[in-house]
Amino acid sequence: MTTLPYTESNVEIIQAFLDETKERISEGVTITFTNKAQAELAVLSLSYNLGIDDIENAIVNLTPENYYRGIDPSGKADFDVCAFYTEIGIDNVGIYLKYGLETNGLQILIFSNHAPMHPMGQPFKN
C-alpha cells in the first residue's frame, strides 16, 4: 500500500475518506467483513472480548492521526482502501485496521482487523 506523506492536502484526503465512512454508518450501512477479517475478529473476540461493535466504534472514532497507509484501489478496483492503527475496547488493544469504501456503491468492507505484526508508523500523528 502507498503511504501518503504528511501534507495538508493529504490530511484532507484522509479526512474525506473518514467523513464518507461516518456518513455511510450514520445512514445505516452495515459493515461487512471478508472471511479473513471474520477469522481475525474471532481471535480478537477470544483473546480480548472484542466484537463487531468495538470495530464499528473504532472506525467511527478514527482521525487522520490514526492513518497508516492508503488510499489505494482494491485488487478489483471496486473499493478505495486505507489502513489505520487504533486502540479499541476497554483494554485499549492496538489493532491494524484496513477497510475499504465501495467506489460504485455504499458498502464498507473490512479486510483486516488484528494485532499489528510489526511497528506501525503514523505519518500524520503529531
Side-chain angles (χ1 to χ4, degrees):
M1 290 184 82
T2 304
T3 301
L4 298 175
Y6 178 85
T7 66
E8 288 299 318
S9 62
N10 285 341
V11 170
E12 290 172 7
I13 290 168
I14 299 307
Q15 186 62 60
F17 181 86
L18 296 172
D19 290 345
E20 176 63 23
T21 302
K22 291 172 188 178
E23 182 177 329
R24 290 181 188 194
I25 290 171
S26 73
E27 292 175 354
V29 173
T30 302
I31 297 172
T32 307
F33 290 74
T34 63
N35 288 336
K36 175 185 173 290
Q38 284 178 335
E40 292 168 347
L41 183 59
V43 171
L44 289 173
S45 178
L46 290 173
S47 299
Y48 304 104
N49 197 31
L50 298 171
I52 292 171
D53 289 344
D54 295 299
I55 299 299
E56 184 173 325
N57 287 336
I59 290 171
V60 168
N61 290 308
L62 289 173
T63 70
E65 287 190 350
N66 298 110
Y67 171 78
Y68 174 58
R69 290 188 178 163
I71 291 177
D72 292 340
S74 61
K76 295 180 183 177
D78 50 349
F79 287 86
D80 289 327
V81 181
C82 262
F84 300 89
Y85 173 81
T86 190
E87 295 177 349
I88 66 172
I90 59 172
D91 294 326
N92 291 323
V93 176
I95 66 165
Y96 171 83
L97 178 61
K98 181 170 86 172
Y99 74 91
L101 297 178
E102 192 173 23
T103 55
N104 292 319
L106 296 176
Q107 186 177 13
I108 301 168
L109 182 62
I110 306 294
F111 292 97
S112 292
N113 56 162
H114 57 80
M117 296 177 191
H118 53 78
M120 296 178 64
Q122 293 173 279
F124 298 172
K125 191 167 187 165
N126 293 334

